[in-house]
Structure formats: structure tokens, C-alpha cells
Amino acid sequence: AETPLARPTHYVLRELREHLPHCALSERWLLRGVDAREADLIQPQHTVSDLESYSEATCSSQLYLALEALDMRGPQFRDGPSPWDAERLRCTLQAASHVGKAVGIVTALRGAFFVARESQTCALPRDPLETAGTTPRAAAEILVSEFDLNAVGSGGGGGGPRDPAALREAVFAIATVAHAHIEHAKELRSDVLPEAQPVLIAHAIVAQHLERLRQCDFELRDPRFLHVGNLAAQRALLWFTLFGGDGF
């Protein structure tokens, strides 16, 4: 007799085991995210395009799975006819792609400080750092150095790869890409299936983080960017639900 599988201990795996038989989620999106995470451990990201691809494979795939739980899936993943308008479904999936990429990029920006503290490395792509005049190693040293709120925006640092202004320039370049994806998703808002709004509402939180980063002059070490209370996130979600905006 076959030995029954042990009950998963991780809460995500427990939920997947319970709901997968009922939602018929596509295995492709699950494996795509796992494969991307494994590849990222072997080959670090060099360009913002690499970060976008990683974000599409991980974060966008999660949104596709959430949409599938609402029975919204591409025709290649459906056996019978779709109950949704084909063009609006296409726009919904496209919006999910943009939102997922923005989520992944902002997650990388928010996590860079903590990665540097734990491993003394910079998890941001190499190319924008070098274009701004710094290096991954110098950026990691900046991230673990003491933060002086009064020095932000002063340009102090004397130039060179260890100048915090160089890292802020690179962060600005990366954040600009995330902002562009949010704007693309907003452009599709009127064509998105209304039933998908609970999934795509994630863009409101991303927009909030980007605005807070702008207010902090793109300084990743600023506590005002790192430590966002739940109340602020809830406000953004409530504002989006009521008025359709980002809460700013």
C-alpha cells in the first residue's frame, strides 16, 4: 500500500494542498516561479530587464494564479469556451503582468537594505548601479552604513562609488521602471474585468511605496520608506476601493 503524504507544515503549502483540487490551477505558473527563484540563486541579475523578467516569472505568475482562482485564464489553459469577453480578459491578464512586474521591482528595492544587512551584498541589478557611478559592493557598504536623515539630498559624499547620491540615482532609475508598469496598468483599468479588481488592487500598495520612496529622495535606508505601518496600507486599499485612486 502507498504511504500517505505527510501534511505540509508551511501554511502556504497547506492552503495549496486544500484548494488545488477545487481551483484547477495551472501547474505552469507554480513551476515558473520556482524555476525563476532557483535560477536567481545561480545567476544574479545584471540589468533592470533581468529584474523585470524575474518579477514577471514570480510575482506576475502569482497574480495569474489568483485570477485562475476566479476562473480567469487564457484560452490555452481552458478546455471549454470562456465565460469572459476575450478582449477584456486579455487586458486583465496584461494588467496583471504589469502589476506583477511592479510588485517584484518594488519588493527588490524594499528588500535591498535587509539583504545587505544580512549578507553584505547588494541585491539590485548591476547595470543601473554602474551607470550611476557605483558598484554592487560599494552599494552594499552604503546600505549597511549609518543613515543620517539630515544628509539626504545634500549630495555630500564627495562623489565616487561610495557616495550615497550615486546609489540614490540608481534607485531612481529602477523605481522609474516600476512606476511605468503601474501607469501602464492604470491605462488598462477601464478595460479590465471588474471581477479582477480584488487581485489587481495590489497596484495601490505598490504606488504607495513608490510615492513614499520619492518623498524619501530615493534613499533606501530611510526608516520612513522601510517601516510602513499597516494603517497606511489599509488606507491606500480603502481609498482605491471607494474612489479608484491610490490614496494620495
Side-chain angles (χ1 to χ4, degrees), residues 74-116:
Q76 67 272 34
F77 301 113
R78 183 180 294 277
D79 295 330
S82 173
W84 312 105
D85 177 80
E87 180 60 21
R88 300 198 75 177
L89 177 60
R90 184 191 67 81
C91 291
T92 299
L93 295 173
Q94 186 177 350
S97 174
H98 285 299
V99 172
K101 289 175 182 176
V103 168
I105 294 171
V106 169
T107 299
L109 290 171
R110 285 179 52 77
F113 170 83
F114 301 100
V115 171

Side-chain angles (χ1 to χ4, degrees), residues 19-101:
H19 294 288
L20 275 176
H22 310 291
C23 297
L25 300 180
S26 300
E27 185 178 282
R28 172 187 177 183
W29 303 129
L30 292 168
L31 297 179
R32 189 189 190 203
V34 173
D35 291 343
R37 292 183 183 277
E38 289 181 346
D40 186 60
L41 295 174
I42 301 172
Q43 178 64 46
Q45 300 157 10
H46 289 286
T47 67
V48 177
S49 180
D50 291 339
L51 178 55
E52 287 181 282
S53 298
Y54 175 79
S55 300
E56 164 70 25
T58 54
C59 299
S60 296
S61 292
Q62 293 179 32
L63 295 182
Y64 298 149
L65 286 169
L67 289 173
E68 285 193 350
L70 298 174
D71 197 31
M72 299 179 196
R73 65 186 73 220
Q76 67 272 34
F77 301 113
R78 183 180 294 277
D79 295 330
S82 173
W84 312 105
D85 177 80
E87 180 60 21
R88 300 198 75 177
L89 177 60
R90 184 191 67 81
C91 291
T92 299
L93 295 173
Q94 186 177 350
S97 174
H98 285 299
V99 172
K101 289 175 182 176

Side-chain angles (χ1 to χ4, degrees), residues 86-168:
E87 180 60 21
R88 300 198 75 177
L89 177 60
R90 184 191 67 81
C91 291
T92 299
L93 295 173
Q94 186 177 350
S97 174
H98 285 299
V99 172
K101 289 175 182 176
V103 168
I105 294 171
V106 169
T107 299
L109 290 171
R110 285 179 52 77
F113 170 83
F114 301 100
V115 171
R117 289 286 169 129
E118 289 294 326
S119 62
Q120 287 72 52
T121 59
C122 181
L124 299 178
R126 175 185 297 272
D127 282 7
L129 294 172
E130 293 181 344
T131 299
T134 185
T135 65
R137 182 172 182 177
E141 293 177 2
I142 295 170
L143 288 170
V144 300
S145 65
E146 184 176 354
F147 172 67
D148 183 2
L149 180 60
N150 296 323
V152 175
S154 64
R162 289 174 176 78
D163 185 353
L167 177 57
R168 292 200 298 271

Side-chain angles (χ1 to χ4, degrees), residues 157-239:
R162 289 174 176 78
D163 185 353
L167 177 57
R168 292 200 298 271
E169 181 179 338
V171 170
F172 170 77
I174 298 171
T176 298
V177 177
H179 181 265
H181 283 296
I182 290 298
E183 291 302 308
H184 288 316
K186 287 182 179 180
E187 292 171 0
L188 295 166
R189 182 180 294 168
S190 61
D191 298 319
V192 165
L193 291 167
E195 294 83 354
Q197 291 295 349
V199 174
L200 302 181
I201 200 172
H203 97 271
I205 300 299
V206 175
Q208 181 194 59
H209 287 315
L210 289 172
E211 173 61 16
R212 195 173 297 273
L213 182 59
R214 184 193 65 81
Q215 293 173 357
C216 297
D217 195 27
F218 302 96
E219 174 55 70
L220 297 182
R221 298 172 296 168
D222 195 317
R224 295 173 297 173
F225 173 63
L226 292 173
H227 307 295
V228 180
N230 290 332
L231 184 60
Q234 292 170 1
R235 184 195 69 174
L237 293 175
L238 177 62
W239 189 280

